[in-house]
Amino acid sequence: MRIQEFNVGPRFIFGEDAISELSNLDIKKAYIICDPYMEQSGMVYHVLDQLDQNAVETKIFSGVVPNPTVESISKSISEIRSFKPDTIIALGGGSALDSSKAIILTYTSLEKVAKPTLIAIPTTSGSGSEITSFAVISDLLTEEKYALVDESLVPDIAILDTTFTMSVPSGVTADAGMDVLTHCLEAYVADGASDFSDACAEKAIVLAWENLPLTFRDGNNKVAREKMHNASSLAGISFNNAGLGICHSLSHAIGAFFHSPHGRINTVLLPHVIAFNSSLSNLTVTPTSSRYAKLAAMLQFDFRNEKEGVEKLIAGIKQLSTQFGIRGTLDDLGIDKADFITHIPEMAERALADACTPANPRKVTKSDLESIYYLLARSV
């Protein structure tokens, strides 16, 4: 047994009206980072109203874009260097949270100052970025995605309040929720998995499996929304400790070239990755296939042996995603097949070098990753 560590991450504040706790925090100058919708819709005022109670000086940067880019992040740097906040509040989905992390890393490096307190307020239930040391940034010029990994990127406080998730459209809810399931499945079989990370992944996958269809059908279901918010953070705790795998590596490379929603890319890749990792085409039962079968049993699938358990798990994932209108093809991602095939060699090379690849339970070659991409291209 090797020595391992387990980190929970930030202080969690959750439950109904959790946002009200902002007024009890010691904040003097708050730099709020969000996307344009958060400002235009007035959602940001849920934050401002709490800060105003203590006359906190605030400044809003609402230039966050989907799949955050080097360009969008650089726009805030001169502003934050001038404002010099003691607290940064990241309000939004994974893009806002990842942008905030990259901004903090750049700001503290340039100014040689201590890291401001980072408060993460997720508005979608998916990325888990509110508790992780990960951030993914895109460079439009080079068409590359960079995975930043640094312990300083873990937020200090995560506020989970369903007020911000109630208006999330069903399609975004599904994409984000399938990302949660991907985080659970990858962390559970990752090289760094432990009893502690397993506990979080197991609870998260059950919560997500039960509540994602409910939130998709009825976005006003507050209980289901809260459970998905909790599942997202639990999954984040799990993969932040155990690692992820090639589903995310392959997804990052596709996203860099084609800019499809990250959670949806994971959804169409996941069945192929599970089949590969469990060596499903072989008769031999592997430790990884046993792990997948254990999750299949947890989700109450009936099967006679572990190989059939993996098959049932894959079928269940496909059936679940079909409920959300995701059939598992390139059409779901809005990607032209010929264009996709042209990019396969370079995407496979990038996926091989991705920060998520080393934790994958089955070691891979560039040829292995190309094969998975070709399987996706042939899906109908």
Side-chain angles (χ1 to χ4, degrees), residues 62-359:
S62 59
V64 170
V65 298
N67 299 313
T69 63
V70 173
E71 291 77 12
S72 66
I73 289 162
S74 64
K75 291 178 182 177
S76 75
I77 298 302
S78 60
E79 191 172 86
I80 193 173
R81 291 176 78 178
S82 173
F83 186 60
K84 301 186 186 308
D86 60 70
T87 302
I88 290 178
I89 298 176
L91 175 68
S95 295
L97 273 57
D98 282 7
S99 294
S100 300
K101 292 176 178 182
I103 289 168
I104 280 183
L105 207 58
T106 306
Y107 168 62
T108 55
S109 176
L110 289 173
E111 293 295 292
K112 303 293 189 289
V113 295
K115 172 194 161 190
T117 298
L118 175 56
I119 300 175
I121 308 175
T123 60
T124 59
S125 304
S127 74
S129 188
E130 67 273 10
I131 60 93
T132 72
S133 59
F134 292 81
V136 179
I137 305 300
S138 301
D139 189 329
L140 298 179
L141 294 178
T142 61
E143 293 187 314
E144 290 191 70
K145 280 199 171 190
Y146 301 100
L148 306 177
V149 185
D150 193 290
E151 286 305 312
S152 69
L153 299 182
V154 178
D156 300 286
I157 299 172
I159 298 178
L160 309 182
D161 190 324
T162 54
T163 298
F164 298 98
T165 67
M166 301 302 289
S167 61
V168 175
S170 59
V172 177
T173 294
D175 290 343
M178 290 302 294
D179 199 18
V180 173
L181 287 172
T182 305
H183 291 156
C184 296
L185 285 157
E186 291 221 280
Y188 201 70
V189 300
D191 273 356
S194 68
D195 289 344
F196 295 92
S197 64
D198 285 355
C200 293
E202 289 169 358
K203 182 62 176 180
I205 196 169
V206 171
L207 285 174
W209 198 270
E210 292 176 354
N211 291 283
L212 181 54
L214 299 179
T215 56
F216 180 79
R217 290 194 296 267
D218 179 12
N220 292 317
N221 187 327
K222 291 185 71 173
V223 173
R225 287 285 194 189
E226 181 178 348
K227 296 300 183 184
M228 280 306 302
H229 234 17
N230 294 345
S232 179
S233 288
L234 285 167
I237 293 171
S238 184
F239 83 74
N240 195 48
N241 285 276
L244 288 167
I246 59 170
C247 191
H248 272 75
S249 304
L250 294 162
S251 179
H252 291 156
I254 293 175
F257 283 104
F258 298 103
H259 313 298
S260 302
H262 172 69
R264 187 163 300 195
I265 301 173
N266 281 342
T267 305
V268 301
L269 284 169
L270 191 55
H272 301 293
V273 170
I274 292 174
F276 172 83
N277 280 342
S278 59
S279 304
L280 197 55
S281 59
N282 300 332
L283 294 177
T284 306
V285 173
T286 67
T288 302
S289 61
S290 297
R291 298 282 284 170
Y292 284 130
K294 186 176 180 181
L295 285 179
M298 196 175 304
L299 295 174
Q300 300 183 342
F301 291 112
D302 292 323
F303 51 90
R304 294 164 296 182
N305 53 59
E306 290 180 334
K307 182 175 183 293
E308 186 179 341
V310 178
E311 291 171 342
K312 287 289 184 73
L313 178 63
I314 291 173
I317 290 167
K318 289 181 177 179
Q319 184 177 20
L320 181 66
S321 63
T322 299
Q323 294 181 41
F324 311 138
I326 305 173
R327 298 182 300 109
T329 69
L330 290 177
D331 286 343
D332 295 313
L333 307 178
I335 298 175
D336 175 75
K337 181 177 179 179
D339 194 14
F340 182 83
I341 290 174
T342 299
H343 285 86
I344 283 178
E346 188 171 358
M347 290 193 299
E349 189 171 329
R350 292 187 182 187
L352 187 63
D354 191 274
C356 296
T357 298

